[in-house]
């Protein structure tokens, strides 16, 4: 809850990654449990990117007869990261001063299912992620965007752009909470008044051990 208190007269922009940050696990990895011992052997091809890999996984799920209910059941086995439930209760107390944004390389359907399951969907103002919709028995996945400007970020998403587009005139500073290497770009672009909150033991925290950033850094193991 570092940096969240009622004394600020202006808004705080609070940006969360989702996997290994809000939820204690990786939704894309967890969903493979629906296939049991029939994991369809699709290998990750770095040249096409992770979103295309997951799109092919979902095609494989449809072929194996995996249903929407099957996926919901598996996703609901995931829990919030320790301390996140308490943090969101605190956000609720000061919600009129906090804009909450999720920036995630998961997908909109997974995140919607879990935000509802955790009963925090009303506390999240914006979700920026890869869009996914059910087309019959297929969870059809698309890229969030095509990133052609930022070499630090994957082809489908630059989280710095998401943070920038989420800023409004009444926001005084940004708090960015994340864990992975794709959270580094937005942290590098934070200002001195902002706060980065990397999860200890994960890729973002390790990268911040070796580089200097303008913002304050507050590490966390539970929220």
């Amino acid at each position: 809850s570092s940096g969240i208190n009622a004394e600020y007269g202006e808004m705080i922009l609070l940006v969360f990654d989702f996997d290994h940050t809000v939820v204690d696990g990786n939704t894309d990895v967890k969903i493979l449990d629906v296939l049991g011992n029939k994991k369809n052997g699709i290998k990750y091809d770095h040249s096409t990117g992770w979103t295309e890999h997951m799109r092919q996984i979902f095609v494989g799920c449809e072929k194996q007869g995996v249903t929407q209910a099957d996926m919901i059941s598996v996703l609901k086995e995931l829990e919030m990261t320790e301390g996140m439930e308490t943090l969101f209760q605190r956000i609720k107390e000061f919600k009129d001063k906090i804009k909450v944004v999720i920036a995630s390389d998961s997908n909109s359907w997974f995140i919607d299912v879990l935000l509802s399951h955790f009963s925090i969907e009303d506390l999240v103002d914006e979700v920026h992620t890869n869009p996914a919709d059910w087309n019959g028995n297929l969870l059809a996945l698309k890229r969030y965007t095509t990133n052609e400007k930022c070499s630090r970020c994957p082809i489908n998403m630059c989280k710095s752009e998401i943070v920038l587009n989420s800023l409004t005139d009444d926001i005084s500073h940004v708090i960015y909470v994340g864990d992975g290497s794709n959270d580094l770009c937005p942290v590098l672009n934070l200002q001195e008044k902002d706060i980065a909150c990397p999860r200890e033991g994960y890729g973002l925290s390790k990268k911040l051990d070796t580089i200097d950033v303008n913002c304050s850094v507050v590490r966390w193991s539970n929220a």
Side-chain angles (χ1 to χ4, degrees), residues 27-47:
T27 49
D28 285 344
V29 173
K30 179 63 179 174
I31 207 66
L32 296 176
D33 288 356
V34 296
L35 293 169
N37 60 7
K38 295 180 180 177
K39 291 186 175 67
N40 54 10
I42 296 172
K43 302 298 182 188
Y44 175 43
D45 181 350
H46 286 268
S47 67

Side-chain angles (χ1 to χ4, degrees), residues 161-216:
E161 195 171 334
I162 291 170
V163 173
L164 190 64
N165 290 339
S166 299
L167 289 170
T168 52
D169 290 341
D170 56 348
I171 289 170
S172 59
H173 69 287
V174 179
I175 302 174
Y176 190 98
V177 188
D179 71 282
S181 55
N182 69 344
D183 296 310
L184 179 62
C185 184
V187 169
L188 291 175
N189 285 305
L190 294 179
Q191 306 299 309
E192 194 174 337
K193 61 186 176 177
D194 302 325
I195 304 171
C197 300
R199 188 176 182 184
E200 286 182 349
Y202 286 76
L204 177 61
S205 181
K206 291 172 184 175
K207 284 182 182 292
L208 292 178
D209 284 336
T210 63
I211 55 176
D212 292 324
V213 291
N214 294 323
C215 63
S216 302

Side-chain angles (χ1 to χ4, degrees), residues 88-149:
F88 272 89
Q89 287 171 356
R90 189 154 169 75
I91 289 168
K92 189 173 184 179
E93 291 175 38
F94 300 112
K95 187 63 187 72
D96 60 331
K97 299 291 185 187
I98 305 168
K99 179 180 179 180
V100 178
V101 170
I102 288 174
S104 169
D105 204 8
S106 179
N107 69 69
S108 58
W109 188 75
F110 284 5
I111 292 173
D112 286 349
V113 166
L114 287 171
L115 291 180
S116 177
H117 178 56
F118 299 143
S119 300
I120 58 172
E121 71 273 24
D122 291 344
L123 298 177
V124 176
D125 297 293
E126 297 174 9
V127 177
H128 296 272
T129 187
N130 304 298
D133 293 296
W134 285 92
N135 182 4
N137 292 318
L138 173 66
L139 183 58
L141 180 67
K142 297 176 182 175
R143 283 181 183 172
Y144 173 70
T145 188
T146 299
N147 165 37
E148 296 174 332
K149 297 177 186 174

Side-chain angles (χ1 to χ4, degrees), residues 10-98:
E10 297 175 337
M11 295 285 288
I12 297 167
L13 175 61
L14 182 52
V15 183
F16 290 96
D17 176 42
F18 194 71
D19 291 342
H20 294 298
T21 298
V22 175
V23 63
D24 198 14
N26 184 313
T27 49
D28 285 344
V29 173
K30 179 63 179 174
I31 207 66
L32 296 176
D33 288 356
V34 296
L35 293 169
N37 60 7
K38 295 180 180 177
K39 291 186 175 67
N40 54 10
I42 296 172
K43 302 298 182 188
Y44 175 43
D45 181 350
H46 286 268
S47 67
T48 58
W50 186 256
T51 312
E52 175 60 22
H53 174 68
M54 289 309 301
R55 193 190 67 76
Q56 292 180 35
I57 292 288
F58 296 149
V59 170
C61 287
E62 182 193 26
K63 288 177 181 173
Q64 296 289 355
V66 172
T67 66
Q68 190 168 332
D70 293 334
M71 287 197 185
I72 290 172
S73 179
V74 163
L75 288 171
K76 285 184 175 181
E77 292 174 8
L78 290 166
E79 297 180 349
M80 293 184 87
T81 303
E82 185 181 356
M84 273 292 159
E85 189 173 350
T86 304
L87 177 57
F88 272 89
Q89 287 171 356
R90 189 154 169 75
I91 289 168
K92 189 173 184 179
E93 291 175 38
F94 300 112
K95 187 63 187 72
D96 60 331
K97 299 291 185 187
I98 305 168

